[in-house]
Protein backbone atom coordinates (compact mmCIF):
# COMPACT_ATOMS: atom_id res chain seq x y z
CA UNK A 1 0.00 0.00 0.00
CA UNK A 2 2.90 2.36 0.73
CA UNK A 3 4.14 2.00 -2.87
CA UNK A 4 0.65 2.75 -4.20
CA UNK A 5 0.56 5.89 -2.07
CA UNK A 6 3.92 7.03 -3.40
CA UNK A 7 2.82 6.42 -7.00
CA UNK A 8 -0.36 8.44 -6.50
CA UNK A 9 1.50 11.25 -4.70
CA UNK A 10 3.84 11.48 -7.67
CA UNK A 11 0.81 11.47 -9.99
CA UNK A 12 -0.71 14.42 -8.10
CA UNK A 13 2.53 16.36 -8.15
CA UNK A 14 2.96 15.69 -11.86
CA UNK A 15 -0.65 16.70 -12.50
CA UNK A 16 -0.15 19.88 -10.48
CA UNK A 17 2.99 20.72 -12.43
CA UNK A 18 1.25 20.16 -15.79
CA UNK A 19 -1.57 22.51 -14.77
CA UNK A 20 1.08 25.01 -13.64
CA UNK A 21 2.67 24.88 -17.10
CA UNK A 22 -0.74 25.23 -18.75
CA UNK A 23 -1.53 28.23 -16.52
CA UNK A 24 1.75 29.91 -17.40
CA UNK A 25 1.19 29.26 -21.11
CA UNK A 26 -2.34 30.67 -20.81
CA UNK A 27 -1.01 33.83 -19.17
CA UNK A 28 1.63 34.36 -21.85
CA UNK A 29 -0.89 33.62 -24.61
CA UNK A 30 -3.35 36.12 -23.16
CA UNK A 31 -0.75 38.87 -22.93
CA UNK A 32 0.83 38.30 -26.32
CA UNK A 33 -2.34 37.51 -28.27
CA UNK A 34 -4.19 40.60 -27.05
CA UNK A 35 -1.13 42.80 -27.65
CA UNK A 36 -0.59 41.36 -31.14
CA UNK A 37 -4.29 41.82 -31.95
CA UNK A 38 -4.35 45.37 -30.59
CA UNK A 39 -7.15 44.39 -28.24
CA UNK A 40 -7.94 46.48 -25.19
CA UNK A 41 -10.77 45.44 -22.95
CA UNK A 42 -12.03 42.48 -21.00
CA UNK A 43 -11.75 38.95 -22.30
CA UNK A 44 -12.20 35.47 -20.85
CA UNK A 45 -8.55 34.80 -21.72
CA UNK A 46 -7.52 36.84 -18.67
CA UNK A 47 -9.38 34.44 -16.38
CA UNK A 48 -8.03 31.24 -17.93
CA UNK A 49 -4.63 31.67 -16.26
CA UNK A 50 -6.20 32.01 -12.79
CA UNK A 51 -8.60 29.10 -13.34
CA UNK A 52 -5.78 26.75 -14.31
CA UNK A 53 -3.57 27.95 -11.47
CA UNK A 54 -6.22 27.62 -8.75
CA UNK A 55 -8.32 24.69 -9.98
CA UNK A 56 -5.36 22.83 -11.46
CA UNK A 57 -2.04 23.48 -9.76
CA UNK A 58 -3.18 24.52 -6.28
CA UNK A 59 -6.01 22.02 -6.09
CA UNK A 60 -3.74 19.05 -6.89
CA UNK A 61 -1.09 20.25 -4.45
CA UNK A 62 -3.80 20.35 -1.78
CA UNK A 63 -5.07 16.94 -2.86
CA UNK A 64 -1.52 15.55 -2.57
CA UNK A 65 -1.24 16.84 1.00
CA UNK A 66 -4.64 15.44 1.95
CA UNK A 67 -3.89 12.15 0.24
CA UNK A 68 -0.73 11.70 2.26
CA UNK A 69 -2.77 11.83 5.48
CA UNK A 70 -5.88 9.89 4.43
CA UNK A 71 -6.36 6.35 3.23
CA UNK A 72 -7.71 6.97 -0.25
CA UNK A 73 -5.89 4.11 -1.98
CA UNK A 74 -8.43 1.86 -3.67
CA UNK A 75 -11.24 4.35 -3.03
CA UNK A 76 -13.58 4.19 -6.05
CA UNK A 77 -14.97 7.67 -5.45
CA UNK A 78 -11.43 9.07 -5.49
CA UNK A 79 -10.61 7.33 -8.75
CA UNK A 80 -13.78 8.68 -10.33
CA UNK A 81 -12.95 12.17 -9.09
CA UNK A 82 -9.49 12.06 -10.63
CA UNK A 83 -10.69 11.00 -14.07
CA UNK A 84 -13.73 13.26 -14.28
CA UNK A 85 -11.87 16.30 -12.93
CA UNK A 86 -9.09 15.86 -15.47
CA UNK A 87 -11.68 15.79 -18.26
CA UNK A 88 -13.74 18.70 -16.94
CA UNK A 89 -10.95 21.18 -16.22
CA UNK A 90 -9.22 20.91 -19.61
CA UNK A 91 -12.64 21.16 -21.30
CA UNK A 92 -13.28 24.33 -19.30
CA UNK A 93 -9.89 25.74 -20.35
CA UNK A 94 -10.48 24.95 -24.03
CA UNK A 95 -13.91 26.55 -23.85
CA UNK A 96 -12.43 29.67 -22.24
CA UNK A 97 -9.67 29.76 -24.86
CA UNK A 98 -12.18 29.51 -27.68
CA UNK A 99 -14.49 32.14 -26.17
CA UNK A 100 -11.53 34.45 -25.55
CA UNK A 101 -10.20 34.18 -29.11
CA UNK A 102 -13.68 34.93 -30.45
CA UNK A 103 -13.87 38.00 -28.18
CA UNK A 104 -10.42 39.33 -29.10
CA UNK A 105 -10.92 38.81 -32.83
CA UNK A 106 -14.45 40.24 -32.70
CA UNK A 107 -15.87 37.22 -34.48
CA UNK A 108 -19.65 37.29 -34.72
CA UNK A 109 -20.93 33.85 -33.79
CA UNK A 110 -24.21 32.50 -35.03
CA UNK A 111 -26.80 31.86 -32.36
CA UNK A 112 -26.20 28.12 -32.70
CA UNK A 113 -22.41 28.39 -32.41
CA UNK A 114 -22.71 30.67 -29.41
CA UNK A 115 -25.13 28.23 -27.80
CA UNK A 116 -22.82 25.32 -28.52
CA UNK A 117 -19.88 27.09 -26.92
CA UNK A 118 -22.00 27.95 -23.88
CA UNK A 119 -23.16 24.33 -23.77
CA UNK A 120 -19.58 23.05 -23.63
CA UNK A 121 -18.85 25.53 -20.82
CA UNK A 122 -21.90 24.22 -18.97
CA UNK A 123 -20.86 20.61 -19.47
CA UNK A 124 -17.37 21.37 -18.13
CA UNK A 125 -18.87 22.97 -15.02
CA UNK A 126 -21.18 20.00 -14.49
CA UNK A 127 -18.20 17.63 -14.80
CA UNK A 128 -16.27 19.66 -12.22
CA UNK A 129 -19.28 19.63 -9.90
CA UNK A 130 -19.61 15.86 -10.25
CA UNK A 131 -15.87 15.36 -9.74
CA UNK A 132 -15.85 17.50 -6.60
CA UNK A 133 -18.81 15.58 -5.20
CA UNK A 134 -16.77 12.38 -5.68
CA UNK A 135 -13.80 14.13 -4.07
CA UNK A 136 -15.79 15.04 -0.95
CA UNK A 137 -17.25 11.53 -0.83
CA UNK A 138 -13.74 10.08 -0.99
CA UNK A 139 -12.55 12.42 1.76
CA UNK A 140 -15.48 11.41 3.95
CA UNK A 141 -14.70 7.73 3.37
CA UNK A 142 -11.01 8.36 4.01
CA UNK A 143 -11.75 10.02 7.35
CA UNK A 144 -14.12 7.19 8.31
CA UNK A 145 -11.37 4.64 7.49
CA UNK A 146 -8.90 6.51 9.71
CA UNK A 147 -11.24 6.40 12.75
Amino acid sequence: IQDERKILMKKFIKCSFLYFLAAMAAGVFYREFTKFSGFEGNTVLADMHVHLMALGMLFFLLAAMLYKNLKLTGNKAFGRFFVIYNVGLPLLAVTMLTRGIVQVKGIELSRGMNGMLSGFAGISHILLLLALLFFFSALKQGVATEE
Side-chain angles (χ1 to χ4, degrees):
I1 291 179
Q2 194 65 13
D3 287 338
E4 287 181 41
R5 282 186 150 182
K6 265 189 175 175
I7 290 169
L8 283 172
M9 286 285 291
K10 286 179 182 180
K11 191 182 222 182
F12 289 148
I13 292 168
K14 182 187 279 186
C15 202
S16 178
F17 183 68
L18 290 174
Y19 280 117
F20 165 74
L21 292 177
M24 293 295 101
V28 170
F29 179 77
Y30 159 69
R31 187 186 70 230
E32 296 302 319
F33 184 65
T34 53
K35 185 171 37 170
F36 178 75
S37 299
F39 181 83
E40 292 183 17
N42 295 329
T43 175
V44 174
L45 290 176
D47 299 330
M48 193 169 65
H49 165 77
V50 176
H51 275 71
L52 288 170
M53 190 67 77
L55 295 174
M57 185 199 80
L58 292 176
F59 185 83
F60 278 103
L61 283 178
L62 176 65
M65 289 186 282
L66 288 172
Y67 186 81
K68 184 175 170 79
N69 297 318
L70 295 175
K71 292 183 180 177
L72 299 173
T73 305
N75 187 315
K76 287 183 182 181
F78 196 78
R80 289 178 180 142
F81 148 76
F82 193 79
V83 171
I84 295 170
Y85 197 83
N86 283 305
V87 170
L89 187 54
L91 179 60
L92 176 66
V94 168
T95 305
M96 292 177 83
L97 177 66
T98 305
R99 178 69 74 188
I101 290 171
V102 166
Q103 289 171 333
V104 170
K105 289 297 184 182
I107 299 169
E108 194 68 34
L109 293 178
S110 70
R111 190 169 165 184
M113 289 296 286
N114 188 51
M116 183 180 72
L117 194 52
S118 294
F120 280 122
I123 289 168
S124 69
H125 280 83
I126 291 167
L127 289 173
L128 290 176
L129 168 71
L130 183 61
L132 288 171
L133 289 174
F134 280 123
F135 182 73
F136 285 114
S137 174
L139 289 179
K140 186 177 175 184
Q141 291 171 24
V143 169
T145 303
E146 290 289 319
E147 293 174 348

